[in-house]
Amino acid sequence: MTQRTRTVGLIRRVVTTTAVAVVAAALVAGCEPAASGPAAAPGTSAAPTPKQALLAAVPDGTEGTFRFSGTSATGDVSGLVDPTAKGMELTVASKDAELGFTMRMSFRIVADDLWMKVRFTGAEGLTGLPKLPNRWLKMDRAKLADAESTPVWEGVDVGNAGPLIEAATRVEEQGAGKYAGTIDLTSGEAAKALEADEVTALGDAAKAVPFTAEVGADGNLSRLTLQIPAAGKRKAYPYLVEYRDYGTAPKVVAPTGTAAQDAPKAAYDLLAG
C-alpha cells in the first residue's frame, strides 16, 4: 500500500444539525493494489491469474479523469476523480423521512485545498437549518473541529476496490470481463472498507463474503459489488463501487470568482455537528 486510509467505508462522517442527522462524505483513501501472486519467470509469458487480471484493472492514476459512485450501509456517494490535479469532487444526498427535506452536501478537493457546498430542498417553512450561500465555500482546515474526518486527496481508488480484491480468497472469470468469488474482510486492509463493528458482527461470515466484478472493454474496472450478509439487527446490503467515463470525465478545478467565497462560521458549525 502506498496510501493510508483516513476513514472506513465509502461514507463515514455523520453531520448533525438541529433539524436532521445526515451522512456527509469522507471516502476511504485510495490504496494502490500491490502485485498479487508470483511474477512470471524471465523469458516466459504465463497468463495472469483471474485475481491478477482483476487487480490490474483497478485505477492507478494513468487512466485520466473518471466518474465514480458507490453505495454502503451508510448511504450513497458520487463524484469525479482527476489524478493530474490531485482533485476529487464528491456529493452525498440525504433525505429526512420525517420532515421531508433533502440535504445535498458536496466537497471539492484540489491538492490540499477544500471547498464545500450545501443545499437544502423541500425545507420551506422549517427553522433551525443553517443559512449558507449557494457557492463553493473555501474551508480552512485549521478551523475544522474534526479535520481527520474531512476528505483529502489520498489516491484514485476512492472505493478501495484494490484492497478488497487483494483480500479475495477465490476469484473466477465468468466470461469476458466478468468475475466472481469471495473476499475475506478480516484480511489486510479489506477490513477498513467497513465499520469495525460491522466486520465483528459478521463473525465467520466475514471471511467469505461473495463478490462480483466487471471490467470494461478498455481494461478498466467498472464495477465491484460485495453482498454483505445480514448481522444482528442490520439487514443484508450491497457494498457497491462503480468507476466509469475513464479519460472523458470533466477535470476537477478550483472554483473561482463569484462561484466561491470563504466559508462562514455556520459551515464549520455544520461539520462540527
Side-chain angles (χ1 to χ4, degrees), residues 23-121:
V23 178
L27 298 184
V28 172
C31 291
E32 296 180 10
S36 175
T44 66
S45 57
T49 66
K51 182 173 179 177
Q52 289 171 330
L54 193 51
L55 280 170
V58 174
D60 61 7
T62 62
E63 304 84 0
T65 58
F66 61 91
R67 298 182 189 272
F68 70 88
S69 58
T71 300
S72 74
T74 48
D76 301 330
V77 64
S78 61
L80 296 165
V81 173
D82 184 345
T84 301
K86 292 185 177 180
M88 178 172 63
E89 185 171 314
L90 53 97
T91 298
V92 173
S94 181
K95 183 173 182 178
D96 182 271
E98 181 179 353
L99 298 178
F101 74 91
T102 298
M103 176 178 169
R104 184 180 180 88
M105 178 174 283
S106 299
F107 290 96
R108 185 177 293 185
I109 299 99
V110 178
D112 294 328
D113 294 329
L114 172 68
W115 293 261
M116 180 179 75
K117 182 184 286 189
V118 179
R119 182 184 178 191
F120 297 98
T121 56

Side-chain angles (χ1 to χ4, degrees), residues 167 183-191 199-200 202-209:
I183 288 174
D184 181 358
L185 289 177
T186 68
S187 174
E189 296 291 309
V199 177
T200 300
L202 288 172
D204 289 341
K207 298 180 180 180
V209 174

Side-chain angles (χ1 to χ4, degrees), residues 185 194 198 202 209-210 226-231 234-239:
L185 289 177
L194 280 75
E198 286 186 78
L202 288 172
V209 174
L226 278 67
Q227 297 298 334
I228 308 298
R234 185 185 50 73
K235 297 180 180 179
Y237 70 91
Y239 179 100

Side-chain angles (χ1 to χ4, degrees), residues 209-262:
V209 174
F211 83 91
T212 58
E214 297 178 20
V215 175
D218 58 2
N220 295 318
L221 181 70
S222 59
R223 178 189 291 250
L224 174 69
T225 307
L226 278 67
Q227 297 298 334
I228 308 298
K233 295 181 179 180
R234 185 185 50 73
K235 297 180 180 179
Y237 70 91
Y239 179 100
L240 171 66
V241 178
E242 290 184 307
Y243 298 143
R244 62 188 183 280
D245 298 339
Y246 287 98
T248 62
K251 295 182 180 297
V252 179
V253 298
T256 58
T258 58
Q261 70 171 70
D262 289 340

Side-chain angles (χ1 to χ4, degrees), residues 153-217:
W153 173 260
E154 290 186 304
V156 298
D157 182 19
V158 294
N160 247 7
L164 288 168
I165 295 169
E166 285 177 0
T169 54
R170 179 176 62 85
V171 182
E172 298 175 356
E173 188 171 5
Q174 298 188 329
K178 296 185 181 299
Y179 298 83
T182 54
I183 288 174
D184 181 358
L185 289 177
T186 68
S187 174
E189 296 291 309
K192 296 180 181 179
L194 280 75
E195 296 284 359
D197 58 352
E198 286 186 78
V199 177
T200 300
L202 288 172
D204 289 341
K207 298 180 180 180
V209 174
F211 83 91
T212 58
E214 297 178 20
V215 175

